[in-house]
């Protein structure tokens, strides 16, 4: 531990007491300085000197305020007197100990030894607390110690800055008092860390959590929190320590990156990669029912070649919006080029799906007629369905693609159901027109 320095002042004490104090055994890392005088008045100025203890023969007249002014309020006062009943209550209250002045010849070494040991332990405790607070204050993120009732016993400065309150306004307070939520919100347990506190109590071991906390001014904050249990000397859990980092902005950035990785930049629909991920995940959790509508623009290449890619991009964005309106509850993706896919996690009645497709065609053709550049555009669609997991996504996608190919070859600008033409599919597909 750190070296500690103790200044012990003895005023009016008998020689035997002074010798006992000076001969007491102290730890190697402790240095004791003694200042001995016949009375308080004979002591040198104490300004700038931190006095750990004052042993005072109360024969001289003194007042508690005088002791505080001369030595400091933290100085531990030992009153040595044979006339305890003559001391006022405020003088007794100022003392940490009262010793008899006489008839202690054989006990002075015992008294002095234990008193110095106590002073050393107090100093060591201060150093320990100071080291702990220094560690806590210099740690990244914010730190707290809570008891089992949820009161914050100690926090660091970063915690105070996060909640916008002083340390005095935080320590000893519960979560809702600190974060500015109502007691009702706290009791409901949403966004107040109750679940993770309970998790630590049920399974007392260090654990990493992802938490959301409702801040009265900053709104919902995302925290990455490491919590560990604290035990007493009997092994009983008495609270927990938490170290948290506000990752709200980091999470928002990650979500943005994730969204960009899943999204087609032009149409803002899902891209091909995310189409596979999302549909596979949904099918693993669901019944396996799936209907795919494979959409392809007719004469799209001619549009790009004649009017330029900006008109082609406008057509693609319009088709994406039309598909979103026609299938608002279903998953839509752009597979690439002028190809789109609609995933319906069900096998709808033929009449219901046909009605949606007819309305889609009507909306699309109204849009195509709106601009002379788009008057030759049209859509072809292939539809395939399955009611079980036995048919893989790749197989179903191939079936819808085959139905689309059949449409483009035999009935361009219309839609075809794979079930209606599967027996006719005796040819090998070479390429899309």
């Amino acid at each position: 531990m750190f070296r500690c320095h103790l200044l012990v002042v003895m005023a009016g004490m008998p020689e035997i007491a002074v010798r006992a104090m000076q001969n007491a055994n102290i730890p190697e890392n402790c240095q004791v300085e003694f200042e001995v005088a016949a009375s308080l008045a004979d002591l040198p100025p104490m300004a700038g000197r931190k006095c750990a203890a004052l042993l005072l023969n109360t024969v001289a007249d003194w007042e508690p305020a005088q002791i505080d002014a001369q030595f400091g309020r933290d100085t531990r006062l030992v009153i040595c007197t044979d006339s305890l009943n003559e001391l006022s209550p405020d003088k007794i209250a100022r003392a940490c100990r009262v010793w008899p002045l006489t008839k202690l010849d054989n006990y002075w070494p015992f008294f002095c030894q234990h008193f110095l040991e106590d002073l050393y332990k107090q100093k060591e405790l201060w150093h320990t607390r100071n080291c702990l607070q220094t560690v806590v204050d210099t740690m990244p993120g914010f730190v707290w110690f809570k008891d089992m009732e949820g009161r914050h016993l100690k926090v660091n400065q970063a915690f105070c800055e996060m909640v916008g309150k002083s340390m005095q306004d935080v320590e000893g307070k519960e979560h809702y008092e600190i974060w500015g939520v109502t007691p009702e919100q706290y009791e409901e347990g949403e966004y107040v860390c109750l679940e993770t506190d309970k998790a630590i109590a049920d399974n007392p071991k260090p654990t990493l959590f992802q938490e959301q906390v409702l801040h009265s001014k900053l709104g919902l904050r995302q925290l990455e929190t490491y919590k560990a249990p604290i035990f007493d000397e009997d092994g009983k859990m008495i609270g927990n320590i938490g170290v948290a980092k506000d990752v709200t902005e980091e999470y928002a950035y990650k979500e943005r990156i994730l969204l960009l990785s899943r999204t087609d930049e032009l149409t803002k629909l899902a891209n091909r990669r995310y189409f596979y991920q999302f549909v596979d995940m949904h099918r693993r959790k669901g019944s396996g029912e799936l209907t795919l509508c494979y959409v392809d623009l007719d004469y799209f290449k001619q549009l790009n070649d004649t009017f330029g890619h900006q008109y082609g991009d406008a057509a693609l964005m319009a088709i994406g919006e039309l598909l979103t309106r026609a299938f608002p509850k279903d998953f839509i993706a752009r597979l690439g080029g002028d190809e789109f896919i609609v995933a319906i996690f069900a096998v709808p009645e033929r009449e219901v799906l046909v009605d949606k497709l007819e309305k889609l065609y009507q909306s699309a053709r109204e849009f195509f007629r709106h601009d002379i550049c788009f008057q030759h555009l049209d859509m072809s669609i292939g539809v395939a369905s399955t009611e079980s997991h036995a048919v893989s996504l790749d197989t179903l996608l191939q079936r819808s693609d085959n139905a689309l190919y059949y449409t483009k070859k035999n009935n361009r600008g219309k839609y075809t159901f794979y079930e209606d033409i599967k027996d006719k599919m005796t040819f090998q597909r070479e390429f899309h027109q």
Side-chain angles (χ1 to χ4, degrees):
M1 199 58 193
F2 292 104
R3 290 190 61 83
C4 71
H5 175 267
L6 300 174
L7 172 59
V8 177
V9 177
M10 307 179 75
M13 296 298 295
E15 182 64 25
I16 190 173
V18 174
R19 287 199 308 270
M21 188 66 74
Q22 293 175 336
N23 292 333
N25 295 319
I26 56 174
E28 292 183 357
N29 67 323
C30 182
Q31 178 185 0
V32 180
E33 178 185 358
F34 296 100
E35 192 72 59
V36 181
S39 66
L40 289 176
D42 294 327
L43 287 169
M46 302 299 295
R49 303 175 70 188
K50 177 70 174 177
C51 181
L54 168 64
L55 278 70
L56 178 62
N57 181 343
T58 59
V59 173
D61 189 28
W62 61 279
E63 294 296 331
Q66 174 191 356
I67 301 299
D68 293 343
Q70 188 172 355
F71 300 97
R73 295 179 60 86
D74 295 333
T75 298
R76 295 169 66 83
L77 174 63
V78 179
I79 297 176
C80 299
T81 181
D82 289 328
S83 304
L84 182 60
N85 58 342
E86 296 179 4
L87 294 177
S88 62
D90 60 330
K91 290 184 177 181
I92 295 176
R94 178 60 181 83
C96 69
R97 299 185 186 186
V98 178
W99 291 348
L101 187 60
T102 59
K103 302 180 181 179
L104 278 182
D105 292 1
N106 295 329
Y107 295 98
W108 279 115
F110 174 83
F111 276 39
C112 293
Q113 177 69 45
H114 284 273
F115 182 65
L116 278 183
E117 289 176 358
D118 286 348
L119 288 180
Y120 171 77
K121 290 176 182 177
Q122 288 291 326
K123 193 72 170 183
E124 190 177 49
L125 177 60
W126 185 91
H127 279 306
T128 301
R129 287 177 173 174
N130 186 54
C131 288
L132 174 61
Q133 191 65 53
T134 302
V135 170
V136 166
D137 283 336
T138 54
M139 289 182 67
F142 38 98
V143 182
W144 66 88
F145 296 81
K146 286 198 290 189
D147 62 17
M148 297 300 290
E149 286 71 42
R151 288 184 293 267
H152 292 68
L153 306 180
K154 179 178 284 293
V155 299
N156 68 346
Q157 192 58 41
F159 186 102
C160 297
E161 292 172 1
M162 174 64 183
V163 300
K165 296 184 177 180
S166 67
M167 200 166 292
Q168 290 75 16
D169 292 332
V170 170
E171 292 184 346
K173 301 296 193 303
E174 294 188 40
H175 180 101
Y176 71 91
E177 298 175 283
I178 296 171
W179 290 87
V181 298
T182 65
E184 291 75 20
Q185 288 174 312
Y186 181 75
E187 290 298 329
E188 289 173 1
E190 189 174 16
Y191 309 133
V192 293
C193 308
L194 288 179
E195 290 185 1
T196 55
D197 282 352
K198 185 177 184 302
I200 286 292
D202 293 341
N203 187 20
K205 64 179 183 180
T207 309
L208 180 65
F209 297 101
Q210 304 297 327
E211 296 184 300
Q212 289 183 318
V213 174
L214 185 61
H215 193 287
S216 61
K217 296 180 180 179
L218 301 178
L220 197 61
R221 311 301 294 177
Q222 182 72 41
L223 304 183
E224 192 171 79
T225 306
Y226 188 82
K227 291 186 176 182
I230 300 175
F231 303 97
D232 65 11
E233 64 273 18
D234 297 322
K236 179 182 178 182
M237 183 175 170
I238 56 175
N240 68 68
I241 176 176
V243 181
K245 177 184 178 183
D246 186 346
V247 293
T248 306
E249 303 304 325
E250 181 180 332
Y251 263 57
Y253 182 73
K254 288 181 179 179
E255 287 295 321
R256 176 64 178 160
I257 295 297
L258 183 61
L259 179 62
L260 290 174
S261 72
R262 293 173 169 178
T263 304
D264 174 62
E265 183 178 0
L266 179 65
T267 64
K268 307 309 177 186
L269 298 174
N271 57 24
R272 186 184 192 94
R273 175 174 173 270
Y274 188 49
F275 162 74
Y276 276 98
Q277 291 178 346
F278 185 85
V279 175
D280 279 338
M281 177 185 67
H282 196 284
R283 293 192 80 197
R284 284 197 299 269
K285 296 179 179 179
S287 64
E289 290 187 347
L290 180 62
T291 297
L292 298 180
C293 300
Y294 206 134
V295 182
D296 183 89
L297 282 180
D298 297 324
Y299 309 111
F300 180 72
K301 184 177 184 302
Q302 290 88 326
L303 172 66
N304 272 337
D305 292 344
T306 304
F307 297 100
H309 287 284
Q310 67 271 28
Y311 282 91
D313 290 347
L316 293 173
M317 288 188 288
I319 293 300
E321 184 175 343
L322 292 171
L323 288 171
T324 302
R325 292 178 182 176
F327 299 92
K329 297 181 180 180
D330 302 308
F331 185 80
I332 305 168
R334 181 189 176 198
L335 298 183
D338 60 344
E339 295 181 344
F340 297 81
I341 195 81
V342 179
I344 305 169
F345 296 101
V347 181
E349 294 291 334
R350 173 73 67 95
E351 294 79 8
V352 175
L353 185 53
V354 165
D355 182 61
K356 288 189 174 184
L357 292 174
E358 290 291 346
K359 290 179 179 178
L360 171 64
Y361 272 104
Q362 181 181 351
S363 300
R365 284 163 183 161
E366 287 178 2
F367 170 76
F368 295 151
R369 288 196 299 268
H370 182 70
D371 193 311
I372 191 173
C373 301
F374 302 139
Q375 287 184 355
H376 295 291
L377 282 180
D378 212 335
M379 282 190 307
S380 294
I381 301 176
V383 182
S385 300
T386 181
E387 295 183 346
S388 81
H389 292 94
V391 179
S392 69
L393 175 58
D394 283 334
T395 299
L396 193 65
L397 189 63
Q398 183 63 56
R399 290 176 180 178
S400 64
D401 196 17
N402 288 341
L404 170 64
Y405 178 73
Y406 184 90
T407 302
K408 293 180 75 70
K409 186 172 183 180
N410 300 282
N411 200 14
R412 188 184 292 268
K414 299 292 184 180
Y415 51 85
T416 301
F417 286 82
Y418 177 78
E419 288 296 318
D420 298 340
I421 52 92
K422 63 180 181 180
D423 294 334
K424 302 177 185 179
M425 301 296 292
T426 57
F427 54 87
Q428 289 284 333
R429 210 185 126 193
E430 297 178 354
F431 59 89
H432 269 281
Q433 290 185 347

